[in-house]
Amino acid sequence: MRIPIFDDLRDAGSRILEQAGDLAGGLLESDVRLGVTGLRRAGKTVFVTTLVENLLKAGRLPFLDVVSSGRLQGARLRPQPDPDVPRFDYEGHLAALTGPDPHWPEPTRGIGQLRLSLRYRPGSTLKRTVQPVTTLNLDIVDYPGEWLLDLPLLRQSFAEWSGLTLTLAARPPRDALSSSWRGWLATIDPAAPAEEEVARRGAALYTDYLHACRRADTLLSLIQPGRFVEPGDLKDAPLLTFCPLPGSQRGRGSLWQLMEERYEAYKTSVVRRFFSDHFARLDRQIVLIDVLGALNAGPAGMADMKRALEMSLEPFRHGSAGWLDWLFGTRIDRVLFAATKADHIASHQHTSLRVLLDRLVGDARGAIRYEGAAVETMAIAALKCTESVVTEHEGRQLRCVRGVPVGRDRPTILFPGEIPDNADAFPDGQERPYNFLPFRPPADLARDGRGLPHIRVDQALQFLLGDYLE
């Protein structure tokens, strides 16, 4: 004989247990937002593609603990949480790399996002007792490096920014690139009444100068404002119609006042909005840098990259001295600076590449560590295109790389040269002593189904996400 009250109690108990299980599952399911950006030609599109492909396949991640310990059960692409952000075209970029005619994918021009859900068994006995399997939702936010370099504008007045920009533009190699714009500046009076056509002419010449910096063989990295070269839907908008001006004339109705107002509008509507909507929500960040390209560019390119790296570190200052904290309440607590294209040099040179990057960011990194954020440097290759080989030349052994250089159709053995271990290692009288060549993606990249070959992407993931996957 069944007693209804006991049935009701049993059903209520089942519901409570089910709700408790759902609550425990919710507590153990976590989200992490990883920002991926890079200075010019650093290969962030390929990095994100490799990261996603290898997490989906889990075949080439021996230094990611959740994989090496056998705790990762699988990964799956899921709908991204922000429907108003363009989706990162992982499938299209993977097809470009692994198709019949492998080629480098087109770089992304704006922000992109992708969500990857990782199911894994916790390493902690306590966590496994509550729930044997849990999920980490990894939201990857990919954005141009110029947007990161815009952040210091938030604490600079128009006069301060103008002075710094004009000083930099007058120095080699930027002086030649900016000559038309600076020549125009010499013909106008910033205190004169504002005229729209004058403002548009100045902005156009300044934008041409920024594009010239971007195309320069000297690999100039410091480009501000970022939306001048990647305007997106802001093309021809008045808030992109300004440029730095000499002096400090703030007369009512003057050209100076018009430019200053548009500069402040850019900060409010573009810079502040991007960092409040996206950057301030990041948990971890990786910044990719083409250090080898800067070495090819010579001392000027290396010095410009050093300035850009120092500026890119400013957003990650935490603690009482962190000016970004009170602006947006940032929570980024781990930052990785990665020198890319490590496969373009012999493997024994990877340490020297990392040491060189470490010295480029060393001073600012120390301050950030003091204020609470973990900052590391690493030499990686998002896609391994070469093999290290040893050859004999004139009676001595050389460590070289073998791959297919861009513009050629067959494997070639090259001696790429030695990497200096400091930022000033350019021989006297030799402006460009280095010539590190780019390589094509290898054929049959996806033939074994284990993911894309790389160098230290798994170690980068361990630093950035390892604690979330414990």
Side-chain angles (χ1 to χ4, degrees), residues 55-127:
L55 284 174
L56 289 172
K57 301 294 177 59
R60 285 191 165 93
L61 301 172
F63 289 98
L64 182 58
D65 181 73
V66 72
V67 173
S68 62
S69 63
R71 295 187 292 109
L72 182 66
Q73 291 199 337
R76 178 180 298 178
L77 288 169
R78 302 293 298 276
Q80 65 192 64
D82 300 315
D84 58 337
V85 177
R87 184 179 184 274
F88 180 86
D89 186 16
Y90 154 73
E91 295 83 0
H93 299 321
L94 181 64
L97 293 170
T98 61
D101 179 26
H103 58 277
W104 297 114
E106 288 295 317
T108 51
R109 300 297 184 184
I111 191 169
Q113 188 183 66
L114 206 64
R115 167 166 281 198
L116 195 64
S117 289
L118 310 175
R119 286 181 62 83
Y120 67 98
R121 295 191 303 276
S124 162
T125 303
L126 177 60
K127 289 182 179 180

Side-chain angles (χ1 to χ4, degrees), residues 340-419:
T340 58
K341 306 177 184 179
D343 59 321
H344 293 189
I345 57 177
S347 57
H348 76 289
Q349 286 285 290
H350 292 178
T351 298
S352 295
L353 180 59
R354 186 200 63 77
V355 169
L356 176 56
L357 175 60
D358 201 50
R359 294 190 178 186
L360 288 172
V361 301
D363 293 341
R365 186 182 66 174
I368 292 173
R369 280 179 169 171
Y370 178 80
E371 292 165 357
V375 184
E376 290 295 342
T377 55
M378 195 175 292
I380 71 169
L383 187 69
K384 189 173 183 292
C385 299
T386 69
E387 296 178 336
S388 291
V389 297
V390 177
T391 62
E392 188 168 313
H393 177 70
E394 296 181 351
R396 67 188 186 105
Q397 289 188 332
L398 296 178
R399 296 183 181 182
C400 304
V401 293
R402 179 172 56 202
V404 182
V406 171
R408 304 184 192 180
D409 58 4
R410 63 184 61 187
T412 305
I413 295 177
L414 299 170
F415 175 66
E418 300 291 323
I419 302 294

Side-chain angles (χ1 to χ4, degrees), residues 313-332:
L313 279 160
E314 291 190 32
F316 310 110
R317 291 180 178 269
H318 289 260
S320 59
W323 58 274
L324 193 63
D325 285 347
W326 61 263
L327 283 173
F328 299 125
T330 55
R331 60 187 183 189
I332 296 173

Side-chain angles (χ1 to χ4, degrees), residues 64 70 159 168 184 210 240 245 283 305 317 344 359 468:
L64 182 58
L168 186 63
W184 173 84
L210 293 182
L240 297 189
L245 292 177
D283 301 291
M305 175 173 285
R317 291 180 178 269
H344 293 189
R359 294 190 178 186
Y468 278 92

